[in-house]
Amino acid sequence: MKPKNQPRSYVGIHEFFLDQELLLFSDLNGSLYRLNTSAAFIWCHQAEGFSIQDTIRAMVDTFGVSAEKAQSDVQASLSEWRHLGLLGALNTVPATENSLPKTENSKSADAKYHPQRLTLAYPYEYCYRLGSGCFQVRFSTLEAQQAVHPIIAHLEIAPNTRCNSIFDITKDSEGYLLSRDFTPLATCQNLRELGPLVHGELLVAACKSSECLAIIHAAAMAKGNYAVLLPGDSGSGKSTLAAGMLATGYGYLSDEIVLLTSCPYRVFPLPLSIGLKEGAWPVLSPVYPILEELPIYQRQDGKKIRYLAPHDISNQATMGYSVRQIIFPSYVAGITTHVQPIGRAEAFNRIAEGGYDVNRRLNSTTIAELVNWISNIECWELCYSSLAESIDHIGELTRVY
């Protein structure tokens, strides 16, 4: 069947095929949309110039559905795409910001802090390396140093290292002020909040100083020269899983964010201490007896957290890793632990929804690079209630490494 109309070109819409599905990127609002196999079929028929009735008949012939079902699917798809502005109608969906995941650890510094207040003595100074950046952290009090340094001590480098930025931690009557290069960043009220605050701001600084294709919200573990990514929202169990994998011999890269470069595609670690919330403590105590002795911090969202420092990372801190597996963990109490494959388009969409930052507005060129990257990676979903069983499943998936 030949189309009765000329092919349609939708201004500002870019198409990316991934397996049997289709990703659409809109220049109008910087948003990404995933179309499953049947929706992709409808889109392509419309783009090729077929009429609605021809598209409905093609749906019946290709997918074996009734004419009523095909008509309903076609009409629903076209209506949604018009609403989203993908077919040239007025775009009613607000643009989304592709930004770094929130650290949930800080409050913006009040404008009342004047630069002169930051000119104090800092008797405790250390240099640390994170990602491609080196940072000096200066503490005005011993108590602040004792609260923060232990959770980043594994990143310490020589004190005379030339650093990209200076972080100052100052105590005054209202609590603690964290500044970067003499500019106030954030405040907290007590020492229990200070550790998470510095932990989060160092991570943000390392991301912003990197030159990479994308910053992915995921834990990452290494096996040999290859990486396993564990993307997931807060509460998905990715940090617990990362800590469990570390105990069984995997290399540790990150529990929250990794940096992806192109030419070649590699992820680079940001190996800050693993942040473990209360629910993870009893699960991991059998393999990490020291966990019960570690200080308890409190994020400014109220959640209690302990930091587990990784083993020696000297051989991993600046090394890039090719990704072989992307595994989306989901902890569900009482469920039978199992793993199942998911489509790459779905995996791509989940990663995009999880938050990322490409140091500029997302564009079609970057999307094309990311689609090319993920097209050769196995993608899985891991639903687990047993840490040991989940690690066994991952071991089976990575056996060929």
Side-chain angles (χ1 to χ4, degrees):
M1 180 189 300
K2 293 184 178 180
K4 298 178 180 178
N5 305 309
Q6 292 294 321
R8 300 177 177 91
S9 177
Y10 300 113
V11 177
I13 305 299
H14 304 270
E15 303 172 352
F16 304 94
F17 289 92
L18 194 52
D19 298 334
Q20 301 299 314
E21 299 186 327
L22 177 64
L23 296 172
L24 301 177
F25 177 75
S26 170
D27 285 334
L28 300 175
N29 61 11
S31 293
L32 185 71
Y33 306 93
R34 170 190 163 224
L35 276 58
N36 62 20
T37 302
S38 59
F41 183 89
I42 297 169
W43 176 274
C44 291
H45 265 64
Q46 289 295 289
E48 289 170 9
F50 287 96
S51 68
I52 292 178
Q53 289 305 315
D54 286 343
T55 302
I56 292 172
R57 283 191 286 269
M59 287 280 290
V60 172
D61 294 340
T62 303
F63 295 98
V65 298
S66 67
E68 292 76 12
K69 171 64 174 172
Q71 180 176 350
S72 174
D73 288 351
V74 170
Q75 290 178 343
S77 296
L78 295 176
S79 176
E80 180 180 9
W81 296 337
R82 290 190 190 97
H83 170 70
L84 294 172
L86 300 178
L87 302 181
L90 179 63
N91 191 344
T92 59
V93 179
T96 56
E97 294 294 330
N98 299 304
S99 58
L100 288 171
K102 285 187 176 182
T103 63
E104 298 180 330
N105 294 328
S106 64
K107 296 178 181 177
S108 298
D110 196 302
K112 66 185 177 182
Y113 284 99
H114 191 276
Q116 290 182 351
R117 296 188 61 180
L118 309 180
T119 310
L120 302 172
Y122 296 96
Y124 309 98
E125 301 179 354
Y126 298 84
C127 293
Y128 306 92
R129 182 187 303 279
L130 184 60
S132 61
C134 297
F135 307 98
Q136 184 182 49
V137 181
R138 307 191 304 180
F139 304 89
S140 65
T141 68
L142 176 62
E143 292 79 11
Q145 182 270 347
Q146 291 174 334
V148 173
H149 179 68
I151 64 178
I152 54 176
H154 62 287
L155 303 173
E156 187 178 359
I157 53 178
N160 59 348
T161 302
R162 184 175 180 179
C163 294
N164 304 80
S165 290
I166 299 174
F167 287 85
D168 290 328
I169 299 171
T170 307
K171 185 181 187 306
D172 63 17
S173 60
E174 299 179 17
Y176 292 88
L177 169 67
L178 176 64
S179 304
R180 179 182 180 185
D181 298 329
F182 310 102
T183 300
L185 282 180
T187 63
C188 64
Q189 295 181 347
N190 54 57
L191 290 170
R192 293 181 65 194
E193 295 179 345
L194 184 59
L197 172 61
V198 177
H199 183 277
E201 292 297 341
L202 281 177
L203 181 61
V204 171
C207 289
K208 288 184 175 180
S209 66
S210 69
E211 300 203 359
C212 59
L213 175 65
I215 297 169
I216 299 175
H217 188 193
M221 305 300 292
K223 187 173 183 181
N225 294 328
Y226 299 101
V228 180
L229 295 192
L230 305 170
D233 296 331
S234 178
S236 65
K238 66 180 184 298
S239 295
T240 303
L241 188 55
M245 292 174 68
L246 177 62
T248 61
Y250 287 84
Y252 173 68
L253 305 182
S254 174
D255 85 320
E256 189 167 355
I257 286 177
V258 291
L259 309 175
L260 174 66
T261 64
S262 60
C263 301
Y265 296 116
R266 296 288 185 270
V267 294
F268 285 81
L270 293 173
L272 284 161
S273 291
I274 305 175
L276 299 170
K277 296 188 283 293
E278 282 186 276
W281 303 346
V283 176
L284 291 169
S285 290
V287 291
Y288 293 105
I290 194 175
L291 190 60
E292 296 181 356
E293 302 174 12
L294 296 178
I296 298 175
Y297 295 86
Q298 182 169 312
R299 302 193 321 194
Q300 290 192 341
D301 61 2
K303 294 181 179 178
K304 295 179 181 178
I305 191 168
R306 281 177 162 139
Y307 289 102
L308 180 67
H311 306 318
D312 179 28
I313 60 168
S314 57
N315 295 327
Q316 301 169 338
T318 59
M319 180 177 174
Y321 296 79
S322 177
V323 178
R324 284 280 187 89
Q325 310 270 356
I326 299 176
I327 303 173
F328 293 85
S330 177
Y331 176 80
V332 182
I335 197 174
T336 299
T337 299
H338 64 279
V339 63
Q340 59 189 21
I342 63 172
R344 293 183 177 91
E346 180 180 351
F348 189 102
N349 201 53
R350 289 191 190 185
I351 289 174
E353 289 177 348
Y356 49 84
D357 182 8
V358 291
N359 295 324
R360 58 190 181 277
R361 193 174 187 189
L362 194 62
N363 57 58
S364 58
T365 302
T366 303
I367 291 290
E369 285 252 44
L370 293 173
V371 168
N372 189 52
W373 165 69
I374 204 172
S375 62
N376 294 311
I377 298 174
E378 294 181 3
C379 301
W380 305 84
E381 182 175 49
L382 172 66
C383 299
Y384 78 97
S385 61
S386 166
L387 180 61
E389 291 178 8
S390 66
I391 295 174
D392 287 343
H393 279 294
I394 293 174
E396 288 294 321
L397 295 177
T398 61
R399 181 180 291 179
V400 296
Y401 285 21

